[in-house]
């Protein structure tokens, strides 16, 4: 199957290509790599602002939020052109894809100007405070509490695995404001600047590399937050949380499809066994594109399909992990893939990450955006009609 588009979508694509040809930073300018998912080098901040000012940052947004009211198919070709050149359009993905998007949906006009627009322009960066030591995938089990006296919240508790918190300027933090309410009620969302007294951010090293630090443990001790930093309604943070993850998931499958395409380029089979594994990679890449294209067509018609998003997320993340493991097995981890990428993320070295490091990073794909176990539960209930466990 060959996916084709109407003339107006192709005209949109051509305009974006012309923009990239004119404004893309030179490779020498882009030498500095980000240190975390909330650290943006100065050259990348300038690049993000140029995209925002020209409506190419997130084309589906209205112009005042860095877009041009583009439709689903136009957003798709925008992402495809970025992927074709291996361009990371920004280095604070949770800030743009989750937090700013949630503020646009649930925030006040004042919060739009104070927080959303600066995040979108790269003036400030944001982190997402959801997971806790006793509440990972189960957000409703969170224990971080906030007392509200009518003018301010006082927050006490702890968040874990908060990506980029040590470099972020603000954390969208989910807290329990009504401990007597039912499990999914009594939760609120607060914007907490990281320079507020009482916040401690402790980076957590990962197995990938000693200098690759993104996760954080964040402790809140009597942290005072003004009432105007409440996002959405008091005690109705569950709605904000679902909206936040929804923003992340809608086109998440495209990232996995792009990674599979990159693996097709980076991994060259050298033996008959390698060829079998490579064939599986080819089939997985085509299958994900075909299923994603069908979901894309439904989305363009305005049809919501939560179950399809879960299928794509589950299949895509695990296909990337499987293919990367195959490449690691076949190379013995001794070779570095040949990668041409102007904006490779979290890579302080001039060479691309080796296969071992790339494989280790795939475990994050099966967790972020909803774990594989959660996706299987959704599919079981909404596709297969099985009872809740």
């Amino acid at each position: 199957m060959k996916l084709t588009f109407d003339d107006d979508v192709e005209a949109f694509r051509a305009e974006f290509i012309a923009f990239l040809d004119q404004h893309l930073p030179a490779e020498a300018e882009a030498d500095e790599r980000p240190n975390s998912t909330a650290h943006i080098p100065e050259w990348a901040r300038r690049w993000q602002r140029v995209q925002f000012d020209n409506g190419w940052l997130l084309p589906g947004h209205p112009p005042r939020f860095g877009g041009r009211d583009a439709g689903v198919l136009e957003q798709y070709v925008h992402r495809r052109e970025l992927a074709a050149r291996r361009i990371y359009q920004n280095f604070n993905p949770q800030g743009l894809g989750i937090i700013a998007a949630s503020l646009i949906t649930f925030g006040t006009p004042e919060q739009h100007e104070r927080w959303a627009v600066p995040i979108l322009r790269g003036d400030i960066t944001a982190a997402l405070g959801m997971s806790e030591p006793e509440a990972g995938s189960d957000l409703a089990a969170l224990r971080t509490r906030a007392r509200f006296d009518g003018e301010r919240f006082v927050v006490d508790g702890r968040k874990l695995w908060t990506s980029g918190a040590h470099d972020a300027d603000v954390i969208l933090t989910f807290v329990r404001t009504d401990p007597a309410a039912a499990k999914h009620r009594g939760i609120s969302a607060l914007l907490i600047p990281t320079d507020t007294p009482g916040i401690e951010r402790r980076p957590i090293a990962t197995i990938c590399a000693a200098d690759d630090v993104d996760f954080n443990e964040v402790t809140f001790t009597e942290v005072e937050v003004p009432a105007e930093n409440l996002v959405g309604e008091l005690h109705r943070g569950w709605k904000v949380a679902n909206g936040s993850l929804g923003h992340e998931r809608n086109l998440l499958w495209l990232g996995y499809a792009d990674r599979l395409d990159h693996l097709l380029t980076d991994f060259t089979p050298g033996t008959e066994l390698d060829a079998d594994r490579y064939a599986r990679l080819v089939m997985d890449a085509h299958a994900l594109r075909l299923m994603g294209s069908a979901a894309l067509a439904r989305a363009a018609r305005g049809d919501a399909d939560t179950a399809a998003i879960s299928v794509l997320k589950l299949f895509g993340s695990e296909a990337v992990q499987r293919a990367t493991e195959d490449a690691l097995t076949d190379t013995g981890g001794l070779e570095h893939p040949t990668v041409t990428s102007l904006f490779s993320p979290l890579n302080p070295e001039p060479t691309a990450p080796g296969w071992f490091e790339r494989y280790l990073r795939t475990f994050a794909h099966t967790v972020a955006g909803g774990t594989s176990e959660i996706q299987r539960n959704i599919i079981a209930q909404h596709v297969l009609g099985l009872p809740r466990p």
Side-chain angles (χ1 to χ4, degrees):
M1 182 185 79
K2 183 177 181 181
L3 191 63
T4 59
F5 300 95
D6 293 337
D7 291 343
D8 56 342
V9 176
E10 291 299 343
F12 179 92
R13 186 204 301 268
E15 185 180 354
F16 182 49
I17 291 174
F19 167 81
L20 291 177
D21 290 340
Q22 181 178 356
H23 294 285
L24 199 62
E27 187 172 354
E29 182 184 357
D31 274 349
E32 184 184 0
R33 299 289 90 192
N35 298 321
S36 75
T37 55
H39 169 246
I40 307 178
E42 188 53 41
W43 68 265
R45 291 182 188 268
R46 293 193 297 269
W47 163 236
Q48 188 167 321
R49 289 174 196 136
V50 168
Q51 294 175 84
F52 179 93
D53 292 341
N54 287 272
W56 290 116
L57 183 65
L58 295 169
H61 286 183
R64 66 193 182 102
F65 293 127
R68 48 184 60 207
D69 292 316
V72 173
L73 296 180
E74 292 167 325
Q75 293 175 57
Y76 174 81
V77 299
H78 172 263
R79 287 282 299 270
R80 288 292 289 143
E81 291 306 320
L82 290 172
R85 302 193 190 199
R86 295 197 173 192
I87 297 171
Y88 284 80
Q89 63 179 139
N90 75 89
F91 291 118
N92 184 212
Q94 68 272 18
L96 267 68
I98 302 177
I99 298 162
S102 298
L103 287 170
I104 292 170
T105 302
F106 299 102
T108 64
E110 291 75 18
Q111 289 173 342
H112 291 167
E113 296 305 313
R114 172 67 182 86
W115 301 106
V117 171
I119 291 171
L120 291 167
R121 285 179 49 82
D123 298 329
I124 62 175
T125 60
L128 182 64
M130 280 190 169
S131 297
E132 297 185 3
E134 303 299 327
S137 296
D138 186 9
L139 177 66
L142 66 84
R143 298 182 180 182
T144 297
R145 296 192 177 188
R147 306 187 305 276
F148 183 52
D149 63 10
E151 294 184 358
R152 63 176 184 171
F153 295 88
V154 180
V155 180
D156 287 278
R158 187 162 55 127
K159 296 292 181 181
L160 196 61
W161 315 122
T162 310
S163 298
H166 60 302
D167 287 319
D169 299 294
V170 64
I171 303 174
L172 178 61
T173 311
F174 289 84
V175 297
R176 188 164 297 283
T177 47
D178 184 358
K183 187 176 180 181
H184 291 79
R185 299 180 181 274
I187 294 173
S188 299
L190 301 176
L191 287 164
I192 306 180
T194 55
D195 59 359
T196 305
I199 293 181
E200 181 182 359
R201 296 169 285 172
R202 188 173 67 191
I204 302 171
T206 69
I207 195 173
C208 292
D211 55 356
D212 177 13
V213 177
D214 194 43
F215 291 138
N216 281 252
E217 178 185 42
V218 183
T219 304
F220 303 89
T221 305
E222 295 289 307
V223 174
E224 298 184 6
V225 182
E228 61 263 28
N229 286 25
L230 172 69
V231 179
E233 300 177 63
L234 183 66
H235 308 321
R236 299 293 181 87
W238 186 254
K239 183 177 181 180
V240 178
N242 283 334
S244 298
L245 293 178
H247 290 304
E248 180 184 21
R249 290 171 180 157
N250 281 336
L251 290 177
L252 189 62
W253 69 270
L254 274 175
Y256 304 128
D258 293 338
R259 288 183 177 92
L260 290 175
D261 286 348
H262 295 163
L263 282 164
L264 287 170
T265 302
D266 301 340
F267 171 43
T268 302
T271 68
E272 184 176 346
L273 179 61
D274 297 350
D276 287 342
R277 291 172 174 147
Y278 189 79
R280 182 169 64 177
L281 167 59
V282 172
M283 289 186 288
D284 284 349
H286 281 290
L288 184 59
R289 285 284 179 197
L290 290 171
M291 291 191 296
S293 296
L296 186 71
R298 290 192 293 271
R301 295 193 298 266
D303 298 335
D305 195 343
T306 302
I309 292 174
S310 290
V311 170
L312 290 167
K313 200 279 177 181
L314 175 64
F315 179 76
S317 62
E318 295 194 350
V320 168
Q321 186 173 80
R322 183 169 55 247
T324 310
E325 182 180 13
D326 286 345
L328 172 64
T329 299
D330 294 335
T331 62
L334 301 177
E335 299 178 13
H336 282 250
T338 301
V339 177
T340 302
S341 175
L342 182 58
F343 303 122
S344 53
L346 299 181
N347 178 19
E349 302 298 331
T351 57
W355 286 119
F356 182 66
E357 182 179 342
R358 287 178 72 169
Y359 173 60
L360 292 177
R361 291 183 187 278
T362 65
F363 287 91
H365 302 327
T366 58
V367 175
T371 66
S372 290
E373 291 76 14
I374 293 295
Q375 304 308 325
R376 285 186 167 87
N377 283 343
I378 294 172
I379 294 166
Q381 295 163 30
H382 295 281
V383 177
L384 303 177
L386 299 177
R388 295 178 63 89

